[in-house]
Amino acid sequence: MQFHEMLNEYLRRLNVTALELAEASELSSAVISRYRSAERTPAPDSESLVRLAKGIASLAEQKGDPALSQDSVLREFRKALGYEEYGQARLAANFDLLVNVLHLRPGEMARALSFDPSYLSRIRMGQRTPANPAAFARAVGNYTARRCRSATERADLARLLGQAPEDLADDALCSAALARWLLNGKAGQPDFTFSFLEKLDEFDLNDYIRAIRFDQLKVPTVPFQLPSFKMHYGLENFRQALLDFLKSTAISRSREPVFLCSDMPMEELARDMEFSKKWMLGLAAILKKGLHLDMVHDLNRPYAEMMLGLESWIPLYMTGQISPWYLRGRHNGVYGHLLFCSGAAAVEGECIAGDFAHGRYLFSQAKSDLPYYRRRANAILQAAQPLMDIYRDASESAYSSFLFADTHEPGEYRAVLTALPPHTLSDECLASILEKNGVSASERENIRRAFARSRKFVASLLQNGAYEEEFPVLSPAAFKAEPPSLALSGLFCNVALRYDDADYQEHLRLTRAFAAANPRYTAREVRRSAFHNLQIFIRKGKLVGISKC
């Protein structure tokens, strides 16, 4: 039984709805829906799968079905997901991570272990599994422990394995710990960047719009009775000042951009769920009105806190109306400051660092105050740096110019894709896919131009640098379970183009032929992609680009 069939069977057995399961497992209804339809599946050791099993066990307990414990449900789910195969994939992923983190030389390792270099390369890419995985892990562990003896290298290993550096001081202990980690382990510290990418991968803007009724949202036009000037003290009154700011901005006639900057710990505000909903609806009303928003992020926070904050802004970033900024360097650790301003209102806040709840906050709509706050906002923006650039279909030309700008310079490039690379697709195969998907004649021409631009871009990269692409190659069973679509996010094509088996195999043949004909191009075929709907482009040492349909 496949994973989605098993999930649906549990729902039928317990006579519960998908919404009840979503609430019990603390997953979104959209994610449950995609699991049920086989549109996506969780990784066998993911937090999402654990939550799902826990939710089913909780509902089973309520329904008087003690046979469905969390452990038993998790065990059955993992069987359905091919956990043994995933265990092999984990060895490949961990081995690849070890080589990259410690900058190991595969050729040197191959000679030391008496392996063929191409064999090690295929193991890293998940194309081969060692006949004896445990013996392979021990050999790699012994080599790495002997090769990496400096304090810096052992500290890097300790972070990777989640152990104290002193526990790895002895070569034998270090080797044994490495072998165990290669077979079964995960990176010791939570990977907040990966979590951020997972949230971005799962996020569906259409679902979000429907959830907050953004598509039905009416921008208010009836004036609210708000004071022109008021001083607030304490956290509760501060929440009201922020909501008054959003209301004033939403109903005003001003088209001035909105400015938000704070180095205060805003997560204290977010603990009030009712306030959080009102805050998000207020921001949605401002964006619905068409106002641009400049958000200056404070990066002088713990990395985990910063990435969690970015996750909450994903829905708003995807509207294309927000410019995220940051200020270089560390500023002060004594005071906390806040400045929000628009063409209608401003909120200024101050507190002693660590005493946010007892700060003082001023709300003003006074016409004499607003130019002062706007000048302050502009001065901050003058000193700020872009945190990221965001491109949507209206910015296609700007995005293309940005990508082509540095292709004449030598460099190393890498892409992580969730489907076969678009630049290797021939015009004939593309025409076949467009025909089978019923794409209109006008849209076909736009898509052809986008694919031609992709081929030109890769050709420019290969003239001066090396380019590596990683992409999954689906087995016949995986293809049948979920026929893939072309990776179109970086091409700004707002259609879904599904392969049939013949076109998929032809595209795969063309990709392999392209790799054979271009010595500067490397195609890394893997069994499964880490993401469902993200394409990641990297110029080493300079930039990362993430695109999503």
Side-chain angles (χ1 to χ4, degrees):
M1 185 181 294
Q2 295 187 37
F3 170 78
H4 72 281
E5 296 172 328
M6 184 175 291
L7 176 58
N8 287 322
E9 178 59 33
Y10 280 135
L11 289 174
R12 284 192 292 271
R13 173 173 171 174
L14 297 174
N15 192 28
V16 296
T17 65
L19 180 59
E20 289 175 304
L21 177 56
E23 292 174 350
S25 56
E26 298 181 350
L27 296 171
S28 72
S29 298
V31 168
I32 298 294
S33 175
R34 294 190 186 103
Y35 288 167
R36 294 188 66 197
S37 64
E39 183 180 340
R40 68 175 294 134
T41 54
D45 65 342
S46 66
E47 178 64 23
S48 296
L49 191 68
V50 174
R51 288 185 182 184
L52 196 61
K54 185 177 181 180
I56 289 173
S58 173
L59 292 171
E61 184 178 0
Q62 295 174 24
K63 298 285 185 176
D65 191 343
L68 295 182
S69 67
Q70 180 178 337
D71 287 344
S72 67
V73 172
L74 191 58
R75 187 166 53 250
E76 293 303 313
F77 273 152
R78 284 176 169 168
K79 283 182 184 177
L81 290 167
Y83 188 66
E84 291 183 7
E85 178 182 341
Y86 188 78
Q88 297 167 2
R90 172 177 285 176
L91 172 61
N94 284 354
F95 181 44
D96 184 51
L97 183 60
L98 180 70
V99 171
N100 289 329
V101 167
L102 295 178
H103 306 291
L104 300 177
R105 297 174 180 171
E108 179 185 299
M109 182 188 293
R111 289 191 297 272
L113 301 182
S114 300
F115 286 137
D116 184 89
S118 63
Y119 175 67
L120 285 186
S121 177
R122 289 195 292 272
I123 292 175
R124 285 181 68 188
M125 291 187 284
Q127 296 173 346
R128 286 289 301 273
T129 301
N132 187 333
F136 175 80
R138 285 196 298 272
V140 172
N142 287 335
Y143 167 80
T144 306
R146 295 194 309 271
R147 169 72 173 71
C148 303
R149 284 177 167 156
S150 72
T152 301
E153 289 170 325
R154 289 294 167 99
D156 289 340
L157 266 176
R159 281 192 293 271
L160 190 64
L161 275 59
Q163 296 188 214
E166 54 270 22
D167 294 340
L168 304 178
D170 179 78
D171 281 359
L173 293 176
C174 181
S175 173
L178 268 166
R180 289 193 299 271
W181 178 82
L182 283 166
L183 292 170
N184 303 303
K186 294 190 293 185
Q189 296 178 340
D191 191 337
F192 296 104
T193 302
F194 187 78
S195 175
F196 172 78
L197 291 173
E198 278 192 315
K199 294 292 191 304
L200 186 59
D201 186 37
E202 294 176 358
F203 177 75
D204 187 316
L205 184 59
N206 295 320
D207 287 347
Y208 176 76
I209 286 172
R210 286 191 292 270
I212 68 168
R213 296 182 172 84
F214 187 85
D215 50 341
Q216 305 168 24
L217 187 64
K218 304 296 183 185
V219 177
T221 56
V222 178
F224 290 90
Q225 296 299 316
L226 295 174
S228 61
F229 180 95
K230 187 173 181 179
M231 198 71 74
H232 295 271
Y233 297 89
L235 197 57
E236 191 58 43
N237 292 328
F238 177 44
R239 291 190 179 100
Q240 189 57 52
L242 294 185
L243 295 179
D244 289 347
F245 169 78
L246 295 177
K247 291 175 184 178
S248 300
T249 303
I251 66 172
S252 76
R253 296 179 181 178
S254 171
R255 309 298 299 178
E256 281 191 42
V258 179
F259 175 87
L260 305 179
C261 179
S262 172
D263 59 8
M264 295 181 178
M266 302 299 285
E267 68 274 11
E268 289 194 34
L269 293 173
R271 290 173 186 157
D272 183 333
M273 294 303 297
E274 191 61 33
F275 168 80
S276 295
K277 291 177 183 177
K278 292 177 180 178
W279 170 255
M280 294 304 288
L281 283 171
L283 287 174
I286 289 173
L287 295 172
K288 183 80 170 182
K289 185 179 176 181
L291 299 185
H292 187 83
L293 195 152
D294 289 301
M295 174 67 189
V296 182
H297 290 275
D298 174 31
L299 302 191
N300 296 315
R301 303 174 185 268
Y303 183 68
E305 182 182 316
M306 183 183 71
M307 295 307 295
L308 289 171
L310 286 175
E311 284 179 19
S312 68
W313 281 89
I314 289 171
L316 304 178
Y317 284 153
M318 294 182 72
T319 64
Q321 292 174 233
I322 296 179
S323 296
W325 306 85
Y326 75 101
L327 295 169
R328 288 185 185 275
R330 180 172 292 277
H331 303 287
N332 83 85
V334 178
Y335 304 105
H337 303 91
L338 176 141
L339 176 60
F340 290 1
C341 74
S342 67
V347 176
E348 178 185 15
E350 62 180 22
C351 70
I352 299 298
D355 197 19
F356 176 50
H358 296 94
R360 186 178 73 169
Y361 311 96
L362 181 153
F363 169 82
S364 178
Q365 293 187 104
K367 291 183 179 180
S368 58
D369 284 343
L370 297 184
Y372 165 73
Y373 289 118
R374 177 56 61 184
R375 282 195 298 272
R376 287 182 60 184
N378 290 339
I380 293 173
L381 288 175
Q382 288 288 325
Q385 303 290 323
L387 180 62
M388 63 183 80
D389 294 316
I390 300 167
Y391 300 92
R392 296 194 69 189
D393 47 5
S395 315
E396 182 177 355
S397 297
Y399 179 66
S400 180
S401 299
F402 166 73
L403 286 181
F404 275 88
D406 296 327
T407 55
H408 62 282
E409 298 177 3
E412 292 184 64
Y413 302 86
R414 186 166 186 259
V416 180
L417 309 176
T418 55
L420 300 177
H423 65 89
T424 61
L425 191 63
S426 67
D427 286 333
E428 294 76 17
C429 190
L430 176 59
S432 171
I433 294 172
L434 295 175
E435 179 70 30
K436 292 172 183 175
N437 281 270
V439 178
S440 67
S442 60
E443 189 67 27
R444 288 185 194 187
E445 189 55 37
N446 292 333
I447 293 173
R448 287 193 189 98
R449 282 198 298 269
F451 274 77
R453 187 172 63 250
S454 175
R455 296 186 199 111
K456 183 179 178 181
F457 173 65
V458 173
S460 298
L461 294 185
L462 295 176
Q463 283 181 356
N464 302 293
Y467 186 33
E468 176 185 288
E469 287 185 310
E470 176 184 307
F471 50 84
V473 174
L474 302 183
S475 66
F479 185 96
K480 184 177 180 181
E482 185 180 352
S485 298
L486 271 69
L488 299 175
S489 54
L491 304 182
F492 295 98
C493 297
N494 295 316
V495 293
L497 299 178
R498 294 278 186 185
Y499 291 99
D500 64 11
D501 185 63
D503 289 329
Y504 183 79
Q505 293 302 324
E506 173 62 8
H507 192 179
L508 180 58
R509 184 192 70 77
L510 290 167
T511 301
R512 289 169 172 167
F514 183 87
N518 291 274
R520 290 182 173 180
Y521 174 78
T522 302
R524 292 189 62 189
E525 299 180 8
V526 296
R527 293 181 182 177
R528 58 187 296 163
S529 174
F531 303 108
H532 181 72
N533 191 26
L534 290 185
Q535 320 304 323
I536 303 174
F537 175 78
I538 303 163
R539 179 173 181 183
K540 292 186 179 179
K542 186 164 185 180
L543 66 89
V544 175
I546 303 170
S547 57
K548 172 182 171 67
C549 289

